Amino acid sequence: MATNREFARTNIGPNNPLFSNFKVMVESAFYGNNVERVTDLATAYANARRAPGVVTTDMPIAHTDELGLPADAKVLVSNDGRVVGRTAAARRIIGQPGIDAKYYADILREAVFAGTRRQFFTGDVVVGLDKEFSVRAHLLLNKDYAANFYSYLLNFQIATTTVLERYAHSNPLPENDIYIYADPDWAHPDFPNGLALFDPTHNVAAILGLRYFGELKKSTLTLAWATAHRNGFTACHGGMKRYDLGTRKFTMAAFGLSGSGKSTITLAKHDGKYKVDVLHDDAFVINRQTGTTTALEPAYFDKTADYAPSDPALQYFLTAQNVGVTLDDAGQKVLVTQEVRNNNGRAIKSRFLTPNRVDHLAEPLNAVFWIMKDDTLPAVLKITDPTLAAVFGATLATKRSTAENLVGKVDMNALVIEPFANPFRCYPLGEDYADFRSIFADGKTACYILNTGFFNGKKVTPGVTLGSIEKIVENQAAFTPFGDIQNVSYLDVPGYPVDFTDADYTARLRARMHDRLEYVKTQKTANAGYNALPDEAEDTLVRLLAEL
């Protein structure tokens, strides 16, 4: 097996580094007499249909046989209340500065005890779709949330007999299986926004008082990415695809927060101009030795904002969350999408949405695209210095999205820095910096920045972004020096002129670059320096500012 689920009795105890009190508390709950195991999607579907408030639409699911669903399965809808996004403020990581492990162990022990008075479902999935990287994960979830349980088994690869036979030949990892304990009905006066508690070293998490399905998905990915990072892989919150141009192939990864255009870029078919293979639009890992890539999930968990009820893509929806339901002119129950009910409506979509899906790419990366929303950056920049390429990834500037449940007063239009577009990192930022810098170090992987927001007040449209990518893929992109900044050039896109004689523009550009420098400086002392970057990151930005 790739990861460890069973142990010889002589290896069970405090001297085994795979054991901790958090692992023992969480795993033990899986074996309670209040727990029912679900081993197939047909049973999970039936349970979800009976869950409180779930709507069974009249929209049939395509490819039911391949998915392991009943032939007459329909799209199920489940809706939450006020909170319809991830709550970053709820996250606590054991082992990070300022986190009192004993305090949180006491909280968790009481939470698990309270859960014994409720009924739970448990089920298994495999995270990582190739033998190069696979981790087995177990979910334990309050039965009232059977719709989320069903979505979880759809989003990841449910551990069927066939899947486990393949998994048995995966590369072994000196790690625990992943265990996720989740009880959305948990409440505590000290945690009004819920608690997402992680012990990443031991691959366990407790998701408490949080209903949003994305918490289950991202908690699992948080632990899978950390496992990958510890074992020779670079963790990637991004999209990955391959273009087949006949005489050569071009592989690219796009990194951005939800709502940045990451999925649009990854899933774009370019009007059939190329044969395009999609690895995934959200989660994958890169083998640091070989450069090969592996998808972590078969399905997609995407926004429904851009899907009209008549869109043919809806035939690939499996479940929907936080969307409406109405009757069409034939009296059938159908989805109301496009953010009518609330922001951040979501759907689990099957892998058959993209018939050109692959689970593993043997070709190393040709290009990395950092997706930003910084109105001082042109539509496309090219970075040719490996240190600067990694620094821009570590200071990726973007805006918050409706996928997040933001606690307190937060300006949604303010520019924020989210390193490598991954708010789910549970290890020091400097380690990700080193991983990504190594990708660029040999000069075989190019680095680009895509601004998918506004440039000098003008929206950069998806057409501009995708057209620019096509030029890069075809080796037709001509880049112009970006002022006097060394190792940075831009693609001259009609309608988006770059004018370094404009004093207002250069002042704003300098301010944005200074923001990046201040962010890097702040990491030296914030959180006891946990996320400090190497001195070269600061030195590189200082030189860039001098060139401005």
Side-chain angles (χ1 to χ4, degrees), residues 63 129 240-244 249-250 263-281 295 297-298 300 316 350-361 363:
H63 300 280
L129 305 181
M240 179 78 195
K241 66 195 300 186
R242 175 180 62 196
Y243 295 82
D244 188 342
K249 294 182 174 65
F250 183 92
S263 293
T264 299
I265 292 167
T266 306
L267 302 179
K269 295 181 174 62
H270 301 278
D271 296 322
K273 291 168 65 174
Y274 325 97
K275 181 181 183 299
V276 179
D277 296 311
V278 174
L279 187 78
H280 202 261
D281 73 335
E297 310 161 287
Y300 307 100
Y316 301 108
S350 78
R351 65 182 297 133
F352 299 104
L353 174 75
T354 48
N356 48 344
R357 262 299 298 273
V358 293
D359 294 333
H360 181 77
L361 290 175
E363 297 86 356

Side-chain angles (χ1 to χ4, degrees), residues 321-343:
Q321 299 84 30
N322 300 317
V323 300
V325 177
T326 192
L327 300 178
D328 67 7
D329 53 5
Q332 295 191 320
K333 296 187 290 293
V334 297
L335 300 182
V336 181
T337 51
Q338 300 171 296
E339 312 285 67
V340 175
R341 180 184 187 268
N342 47 260
N343 290 325

Side-chain angles (χ1 to χ4, degrees), residues 368 383-390 433-447 536:
V368 165
I383 317 298
T384 54
D385 174 68
T387 301
L388 186 57
Y433 173 86
D435 287 355
F436 280 101
R437 192 191 183 288
S438 69
I439 290 174
F440 303 116
D442 62 6
K444 295 179 181 179
T445 303
C447 177
E536 67 177 24

Side-chain angles (χ1 to χ4, degrees), residues 21 56 121 132 150 214 272 284 303 339 381 399 404 488 527:
N21 58 338
T56 301
F121 287 126
E132 187 165 283
Y150 170 57
F284 65 99
K303 287 174 174 285
E339 312 285 67
L381 285 177
K399 293 184 179 180
E404 301 167 276
V488 182
N527 204 21

Side-chain angles (χ1 to χ4, degrees), residues 114-135:
T116 62
R117 273 54 183 168
R118 290 189 272 276
Q119 300 298 305
F120 283 74
F121 287 126
T122 185
D124 300 348
V125 299
V126 172
V127 185
L129 305 181
D130 187 81
K131 67 179 183 179
E132 187 165 283
F133 180 80
S134 286
V135 181

Side-chain angles (χ1 to χ4, degrees), residues 21-355:
N21 58 338
F22 290 95
K23 172 194 160 53
V24 171
M25 279 187 277
V26 169
E27 184 188 358
S28 298
F30 280 73
Y31 310 125
N33 59 10
N34 61 323
V35 175
E36 178 183 339
R37 173 167 292 280
V38 176
T39 60
D40 62 273
L41 283 172
T43 301
Y45 172 76
N47 291 337
R49 290 189 65 184
R50 294 191 295 266
V54 167
V55 177
T56 301
T57 70
D58 294 310
M59 300 170 60
I61 290 174
H63 300 280
T64 52
D65 186 51
E66 296 97 317
L67 291 167
L69 290 170
D72 60 350
K74 304 295 194 297
V75 175
L76 303 184
V77 175
S78 59
N79 287 322
D80 298 323
R82 181 182 63 84
V83 176
V84 292
R86 289 179 282 100
T87 305
R91 288 169 69 91
R92 302 290 189 277
I93 313 295
I94 300 301
Q96 290 192 356
I99 300 298
D100 184 339
K102 182 183 182 306
Y103 169 76
Y104 284 104
D106 292 345
I107 292 288
L108 178 58
R109 195 161 52 248
E110 189 66 22
V112 172
F113 171 76
T116 62
R117 273 54 183 168
R118 290 189 272 276
Q119 300 298 305
F120 283 74
F121 287 126
T122 185
D124 300 348
V125 299
V126 172
V127 185
L129 305 181
D130 187 81
K131 67 179 183 179
E132 187 165 283
F133 180 80
S134 286
V135 181
R136 191 169 179 175
H138 314 273
L139 173 67
L140 186 65
L141 179 61
N142 184 324
K143 277 189 176 182
D144 282 347
Y145 299 87
N148 276 355
F149 183 85
Y150 170 57
S151 288
Y152 186 88
L153 299 182
L154 290 168
N155 183 82
F156 295 105
Q157 177 60 66
I158 185 171
T160 62
T161 301
T162 302
V163 168
L164 290 177
E165 287 174 355
R166 185 168 64 244
Y167 171 74
H169 295 93
S170 297
N171 293 338
L173 299 171
E175 303 277 352
N176 286 311
D177 283 8
I178 291 171
Y179 291 89
I180 307 289
Y181 176 92
D183 186 0
D185 288 340
W186 178 86
H188 192 288
D190 293 347
F191 299 95
N193 300 300
L195 174 63
L197 181 64
F198 296 85
D199 176 3
T201 303
H202 300 93
N203 268 348
V204 295
I207 310 303
L208 306 171
L210 296 160
R211 304 177 191 139
Y212 177 60
F213 171 76
E215 302 285 2
L216 301 177
K217 170 183 160 73
K218 293 303 187 186
S219 64
T220 304
L221 291 176
T222 292
L223 297 176
W225 276 321
T227 299
H229 169 72
R230 291 191 295 267
N231 290 276
F233 296 84
T234 299
C236 299
H237 181 221
M240 179 78 195
K241 66 195 300 186
R242 175 180 62 196
Y243 295 82
D244 188 342
L245 304 174
T247 57
R248 63 184 176 88
K249 294 182 174 65
F250 183 92
T251 59
M252 63 163 281
F255 294 81
L257 286 184
S258 176
S260 66
K262 169 167 55 75
S263 293
T264 299
I265 292 167
T266 306
L267 302 179
K269 295 181 174 62
H270 301 278
D271 296 322
K273 291 168 65 174
Y274 325 97
K275 181 181 183 299
V276 179
D277 296 311
V278 174
L279 187 78
H280 202 261
D281 73 335
D282 188 59
F284 65 99
V285 295
I286 303 171
N287 186 312
R288 290 202 290 270
Q289 284 192 327
T290 64
T292 55
T293 51
T294 300
L296 298 186
E297 310 161 287
Y300 307 100
F301 178 57
D302 290 336
K303 287 174 174 285
T304 60
D306 296 330
Y307 292 93
S310 58
D311 194 315
L314 266 67
Q315 68 180 302
Y316 301 108
F317 281 26
L318 305 175
T319 65
Q321 299 84 30
N322 300 317
V323 300
V325 177
T326 192
L327 300 178
D328 67 7
D329 53 5
Q332 295 191 320
K333 296 187 290 293
V334 297
L335 300 182
V336 181
T337 51
Q338 300 171 296
E339 312 285 67
V340 175
R341 180 184 187 268
N342 47 260
N343 290 325
N344 199 42
R346 291 273 174 162
I348 301 286
K349 299 180 287 188
S350 78
R351 65 182 297 133
F352 299 104
L353 174 75
T354 48

Side-chain angles (χ1 to χ4, degrees), residues 305-491:
D306 296 330
Y307 292 93
S310 58
D311 194 315
L314 266 67
Q315 68 180 302
Y316 301 108
F317 281 26
L318 305 175
T319 65
Q321 299 84 30
N322 300 317
V323 300
V325 177
T326 192
L327 300 178
D328 67 7
D329 53 5
Q332 295 191 320
K333 296 187 290 293
V334 297
L335 300 182
V336 181
T337 51
Q338 300 171 296
E339 312 285 67
V340 175
R341 180 184 187 268
N342 47 260
N343 290 325
N344 199 42
R346 291 273 174 162
I348 301 286
K349 299 180 287 188
S350 78
R351 65 182 297 133
F352 299 104
L353 174 75
T354 48
N356 48 344
R357 262 299 298 273
V358 293
D359 294 333
H360 181 77
L361 290 175
E363 297 86 356
L365 263 177
N366 292 119
V368 165
F369 291 78
W370 305 130
I371 307 175
M372 304 201 191
K373 290 190 175 182
D374 178 342
D375 69 357
T376 67
L377 300 182
V380 186
L381 285 177
K382 183 175 183 179
I383 317 298
T384 54
D385 174 68
T387 301
L388 186 57
V391 168
F392 270 119
T395 59
L396 189 145
T398 188
K399 293 184 179 180
R400 293 300 181 198
S401 81
T402 56
E404 301 167 276
N405 171 41
L406 299 170
V407 176
K409 293 183 178 180
V410 178
D411 183 357
M412 290 290 289
N413 293 312
L415 206 65
V416 295
I417 289 176
E418 192 61 77
F420 306 110
N422 192 352
F424 312 106
R425 182 185 306 99
C426 57
Y427 49 86
L429 172 60
E431 296 179 14
D432 253 1
Y433 173 86
D435 287 355
F436 280 101
R437 192 191 183 288
S438 69
I439 290 174
F440 303 116
D442 62 6
K444 295 179 181 179
T445 303
C447 177
Y448 301 91
I449 297 174
L450 300 174
N451 176 10
T452 58
F454 289 79
F455 177 57
N456 287 336
K458 185 175 181 179
K459 180 71 174 80
V460 181
T461 65
V464 166
T465 298
L466 294 174
S468 299
I469 292 173
E470 290 178 5
K471 289 182 178 180
I472 292 170
V473 170
E474 297 170 3
N475 287 330
Q476 299 297 317
F479 285 86
T480 303
F482 192 50
D484 294 326
I485 303 177
Q486 298 296 307
N487 302 303
V488 182
S489 54
Y490 72 95
L491 186 65

